[in-house]
Amino acid sequence: MACKRGALIVLEGVDKAGKTTQCKKLVQLLQQSGRPAEMMRFPERTTTIGQLVGAYLENKSDLEDHTVHLLFSANRWELVPLMKKKLEQGTTLVVDRYAFSGVAFTSAKPGFSLDWCMKPDVGLPKPDLVIFLKLSPAEAALRGQFGEERYETSVFQQAVQQKFEELFKDPSVNWQVIDASQSVQAVHENITILSQKIINTAQDLPLGELWK
Ligand code: NYM
């Protein structure tokens, strides 16, 4: 029989919630405990499409809002063959942002519905678990200034947070919300428990299709 598949675990949250730190800690822990695991992130800025997105985020170029939304999505789709291959080989993928950031950020702009924003990502590999690191805008502000990139303002982040909350209502996605105001270690422990459980469950289930 083929080897058991890896789990697809996504970490989401507003800026400063600690996603990247927690993804790295989880991958390290899984690897140390002998489970194959790798980190991925979106946008993946190294590809040709990712470079367009990166330049936009760094304010080095301007792109029309629908266009950039589709590029973010295309950046996920271009990595689907690699993701599927790794999962089939038994590697658990821990992903820093995914389609949920795509929908939350674009739909926080005027004139964009959640529904329109979700369409291009319908059918992506469905995460077995989506962990949302919840941090209030006030607490996020205490963690330091926002950087220079596009979207990094408190007002916009607040709108993004509201859009994430709308996405939580979707029962087809396994959302788990963790209070990100706890210590790094406490958050890590919460994430570890959820992840170990899902890795054991997902290995016997087929990979789903998002929003389908
Ligand atoms: N972002 C990220 C989007 O607007 N759409 C997407 O589909 C994704 C994956 O890019 N502000 C936004 C959220 C962040 C920025 O930042 C990426 P970072 O620090 O690379 O996670």
Side-chain angles (χ1 to χ4, degrees), residues 9 11 17-33 94 129 131 133 143 178-197:
I9 300 172
L11 265 73
K19 293 181 297 299
T20 307
T21 304
Q22 293 295 342
C23 282
K24 286 184 184 158
K25 282 181 78 72
L26 178 60
V27 168
Q28 202 178 16
L29 178 115
L30 293 173
Q31 288 176 345
Q32 280 166 358
S33 59
V94 178
L129 170 66
I131 297 174
L133 297 184
R143 294 191 174 182
I178 290 182
D179 173 9
S181 69
Q182 304 173 89
S183 70
V184 170
Q185 190 55 28
V187 174
H188 173 60
E189 283 164 17
N190 285 324
I191 292 177
T192 303
I193 294 168
L194 292 170
S195 301
Q196 282 171 336
K197 250 191 236 164

Side-chain angles (χ1 to χ4, degrees), residues 197-209:
K197 250 191 236 164
I198 209 72
I199 289 169
N200 289 330
T201 325
Q203 62 184 1
D204 297 313
L205 299 173
L207 184 64
E209 290 177 301

Side-chain angles (χ1 to χ4, degrees), residues 26 76 81 84 115 123 126 129 171 195:
L26 178 60
R76 285 183 278 280
K84 286 190 168 166
D115 189 48
K126 181 175 170 174
L129 170 66
S195 301

Side-chain angles (χ1 to χ4, degrees), residues 42-44 47 49-50 70-79:
F42 289 109
E44 172 46 68
T47 66
I49 294 169
L70 297 173
L71 286 175
F72 272 112
S73 176
N75 183 231
R76 285 183 278 280
W77 280 108
E78 67 178 334
L79 285 156

Side-chain angles (χ1 to χ4, degrees), residues 15 41-43 45 57 72 76 97-98 101-102 105 149-151:
D15 288 354
R41 64 180 316 151
F42 289 109
R45 301 188 196 208
L57 288 170
F72 272 112
R76 285 183 278 280
R97 297 191 192 276
Y98 199 51
S101 274
F105 276 77
E149 290 208 333
R150 219 179 269 265
Y151 304 145

Side-chain angles (χ1 to χ4, degrees):
M1 196 188 127
C3 78
K4 306 247 185 195
R5 78 162 170 98
L8 180 55
I9 300 172
V10 169
L11 265 73
E12 286 281 9
V14 290
D15 288 354
K16 309 255 181 234
K19 293 181 297 299
T20 307
T21 304
Q22 293 295 342
C23 282
K24 286 184 184 158
K25 282 181 78 72
L26 178 60
V27 168
Q28 202 178 16
L29 178 115
L30 293 173
Q31 288 176 345
Q32 280 166 358
S33 59
R35 293 193 190 256
E38 284 180 30
M39 180 170 163
M40 291 182 79
R41 64 180 316 151
F42 289 109
E44 172 46 68
R45 301 188 196 208
T46 56
T47 66
T48 305
I49 294 169
Q51 284 169 22
L52 293 173
V53 168
Y56 170 82
L57 288 170
E58 291 164 32
N59 286 307
K60 289 181 180 152
S61 71
D62 278 322
L63 289 167
E64 193 275 332
D65 288 330
H66 300 78
T67 310
V68 77
H69 182 74
L70 297 173
L71 286 175
F72 272 112
S73 176
N75 183 231
R76 285 183 278 280
W77 280 108
E78 67 178 334
L79 285 156
V80 166
L82 180 68
M83 291 172 76
K84 286 190 168 166
K85 189 170 145 206
K86 299 229 178 238
L87 291 167
E88 276 160 22
Q89 287 170 345
T91 301
T92 285
L93 296 178
V94 178
V95 186
D96 186 350
R97 297 191 192 276
Y98 199 51
F100 314 99
S101 274
V103 173
F105 276 77
T106 302
S107 66
K109 297 178 178 179
F112 284 87
S113 70
L114 223 53
D115 189 48
W116 187 88
C117 292
M118 288 162 84
K119 289 267 153 65
D121 287 312
V122 169
L124 278 178
K126 181 175 170 174
D128 299 293
L129 170 66
V130 187
I131 297 174
F132 186 79
L133 297 184
K134 190 166 185 178
L135 193 68
S136 72
E139 282 168 306
L142 289 176
R143 294 191 174 182
Q145 293 297 307
F146 285 119
E148 299 289 298
E149 290 208 333
R150 219 179 269 265
Y151 304 145
E152 295 186 351
T153 67
S154 300
V155 174
F156 194 74
Q157 297 285 325
Q158 235 159 326
V160 170
Q161 173 101 19
Q162 279 170 9
K163 296 297 174 183
F164 272 123
E165 278 166 21
E166 286 183 47
L167 288 173
F168 295 164
K169 293 177 193 155
D170 172 8
S172 77
V173 172
N174 180 15
W175 284 101
Q176 297 290 333
V177 180
I178 290 182
D179 173 9
S181 69
Q182 304 173 89
S183 70
V184 170
Q185 190 55 28
V187 174
H188 173 60
E189 283 164 17
N190 285 324
I191 292 177
T192 303
I193 294 168
L194 292 170
S195 301
Q196 282 171 336
K197 250 191 236 164
I198 209 72
I199 289 169
N200 289 330
T201 325
Q203 62 184 1
D204 297 313
L205 299 173
L207 184 64
E209 290 177 301
L210 183 63
W211 296 325
K212 233 177 168 181

